[in-house]
């Protein structure tokens, strides 16, 4: 007989631990993107563009992921419901309008 154990996370654990306990798998790069969004949500309440995510990622973690890889990992997080389009756009350094991304609110996560 196999005993099924339920995963748990402590209240003091980071959000990624809670997601893992809930069965949401995230890669190291995805977890770092979440960390970037979390670290900058007060300074950028309307979210960050992919370009800004890349800049802040490199400042926090170095150059271990390409621009395209970061965009792909962010898109995967959107598919998992862990990152959401804010409904806003911001201009990038080439003056193009780009979507901004942020961690979803608790209400969005519950929906």
């Amino acid at each position: 007989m196999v005993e099924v154990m339920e995963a748990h996370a402590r209240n003091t654990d980071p959000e990624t631990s809670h997601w893992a306990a809930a069965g949401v798998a995230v890669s190291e790069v995805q977890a770092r993107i979440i960390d970037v969004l979390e670290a900058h949500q007060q300074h950028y309440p309307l979210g960050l563009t992919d370009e800004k995510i890349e800049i802040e990622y490199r400042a926090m973690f170095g150059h271990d992921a390409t621009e395209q890889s970061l965009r792909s990992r962010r898109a995967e997080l959107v598919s998992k419901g862990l990152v959401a389009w804010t409904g806003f756009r911001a201009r990038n350094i080439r003056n193009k309008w780009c979507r901004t991304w942020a961690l979803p609110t608790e209400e969005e996560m519950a929906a």
Side-chain angles (χ1 to χ4, degrees):
M1 179 177 197
V2 176
E3 184 178 340
V4 177
M5 299 187 69
E6 190 175 322
H8 296 280
R10 295 179 295 271
N11 290 337
T12 56
D13 287 346
E15 278 187 276
T16 49
S17 296
H18 291 274
W19 295 330
V24 179
V26 294
S27 70
E28 182 177 356
V29 172
Q30 289 172 332
R32 287 176 173 183
I33 291 170
I34 291 167
D35 290 342
V36 166
L37 292 171
E38 202 170 52
H40 293 86
Q41 62 190 359
Q42 289 203 359
H43 295 293
Y44 297 95
L46 301 181
L48 294 115
T49 63
D50 282 326
E51 180 180 75
K52 188 66 174 169
I53 291 170
E54 177 192 0
I55 291 166
E56 298 302 334
Y57 182 100
R58 293 184 191 290
M60 291 172 70
F61 303 109
H63 295 271
D64 68 341
T66 66
E67 176 184 355
Q68 185 55 49
S69 175
L70 292 172
R71 288 176 195 267
S72 296
R73 300 302 78 79
R74 191 265 310 142
E76 292 166 358
L77 289 168
V78 171
S79 295
K80 293 178 182 187
L82 301 177
V83 170
W85 177 39
T86 62
F88 294 98
R89 296 178 189 268
R91 292 193 184 268
N92 67 10
I93 60 170
R94 291 174 294 286
N95 208 31
K96 304 278 185 192
W97 286 105
C98 301
R99 287 183 173 197
T100 60
W101 307 96
L103 299 177
T105 64
E106 288 184 26
E107 293 82 23
E108 291 170 326
M109 290 284 286

